[in-house]
Amino acid sequence: MTGKTHMAVGLAVSLSVLQPKNIKDVISISAVSIIGALAADVDIKTSKAGKFTKKISNYIMALLMIFILVIAADKLLNIGVNNTLFNKVGTDKVFFIVMGALAILYFMIKVIQSSHRGFTHSFTALALSAAAASLFLNTLQAVAFTLSYLSHILIDLLNKKGCQLFYPLSSRYCFKVCKSNGIINDILFWVSCIISAFFVVYGINLFYLPI
Ligand SMILES: [Zn+2]
């Protein structure tokens, strides 16, 4: 499916399930839903997102290596970095940030290694990105991200190119119902736009409708 359809469907799914009741929640849910809906397609190597992923994965790897080296060096030399870091930031926070960074790094390496609709279009990647999202976002945003990511995988199943749903198993699945840029893609886009508009109006009672 096209990027705009993924965005529209992701938004519609998140807004209809979570039904935000104020502008702030509408905006934050919409923002993370759009990111979640597009995240799976970073495996298109020629896309801007794909090139950016390749570049940034090196920096994250370097930062993690420096972090591990500093912690290890401090254990040996006892300069006090560990105490300051863990006391100021909090042991649990440091742990979660490192685990989150590792999850994102693993995701990026798999993106670079796998073919289109491979790892990123699997339940494995969905679980991993949901776990990483829950470390960095609040509950509402993390659920929105996960729902829109799931919607991306599900509507891609309608096409002829299979998704590697149970990565690392190599089997690919698809329903072969439609082309990725045909009439069903357009219908999904417009229906999702209408659903999203309804839930924004309904949720924040934009026009004071008696509903
Ligand atoms: Zn896709």
Side-chain angles (χ1 to χ4, degrees), residues 56-65 101-102 104-105 108:
I56 203 154
S57 65
N58 293 331
Y59 292 117
I60 296 188
M61 177 85 91
L63 279 175
L64 271 171
M65 293 302 285
L102 277 174
I104 291 169
L105 183 66
M108 287 172 158

Side-chain angles (χ1 to χ4, degrees), residues 1-3 5-6 117 155-156 158-159 178-180 185 188:
M1 296 301 180
T2 58
T5 300
H6 280 304
R117 295 200 179 173
I155 62 169
D156 268 355
L158 299 173
N159 299 157
C178 60
K179 283 196 284 184
S180 60
N185 178 64
L188 272 174

Side-chain angles (χ1 to χ4, degrees), residues 5-198:
T5 300
H6 280 304
M7 278 196 276
V9 172
L11 259 180
V13 170
S14 296
L15 290 172
S16 53
V17 172
L18 297 169
Q19 301 191 9
K21 291 282 182 278
N22 57 62
I23 284 266
K24 199 176 132 249
D25 285 348
V26 167
I27 292 171
S28 78
I29 285 175
S30 302
V32 292
S33 296
I34 288 172
I35 296 169
L38 295 176
D41 274 348
V42 291
D43 63 353
I44 302 175
K45 306 284 190 303
T46 48
S47 70
K48 274 200 179 103
K51 284 178 184 161
F52 178 71
T53 301
K54 199 168 182 178
K55 208 183 254 176
I56 203 154
S57 65
N58 293 331
Y59 292 117
I60 296 188
M61 177 85 91
L63 279 175
L64 271 171
M65 293 302 285
I66 291 168
F67 178 79
I68 291 163
L69 282 174
V70 169
I71 298 287
D74 192 54
K75 274 256 182 258
L76 286 172
L77 304 169
N78 217 1
I79 303 163
V81 180
N82 286 352
N83 283 344
T84 317
L85 182 72
F86 290 109
N87 283 343
K88 279 228 168 106
V89 187
T91 315
D92 51 340
K93 263 199 185 141
V94 171
F95 174 75
F96 281 123
I97 289 168
V98 173
M99 292 312 283
L102 277 174
I104 291 169
L105 183 66
Y106 177 80
F107 189 95
M108 287 172 158
I109 290 169
K110 287 292 153 198
V111 165
I112 293 161
Q113 287 173 346
S114 68
S115 59
H116 182 42
R117 295 200 179 173
F119 168 72
T120 61
H121 290 61
S122 70
F123 294 128
T124 320
L126 176 72
L128 196 67
S129 50
S134 69
L135 295 176
F136 295 108
L137 304 171
N138 66 34
T139 310
L140 202 64
Q141 293 165 340
V143 172
F145 179 90
T146 308
L147 283 172
S148 60
Y149 196 112
L150 174 65
S151 78
H152 182 120
I153 297 174
L154 294 182
I155 62 169
D156 268 355
L157 287 176
L158 299 173
N159 299 157
K160 285 174 187 150
K161 189 172 171 61
C163 298
Q164 212 175 332
L165 281 185
F166 301 102
Y167 184 95
L169 299 180
S170 57
S171 319
R172 286 177 180 259
Y173 301 87
C174 60
F175 297 121
K176 296 183 181 160
V177 177
C178 60
K179 283 196 284 184
S180 60
N181 55 358
I183 181 80
I184 292 184
N185 178 64
D186 291 343
I187 292 171
L188 272 174
F189 173 74
W190 286 110
V191 169
S192 300
C193 286
I194 293 166
I195 292 173
S196 297
F198 172 79

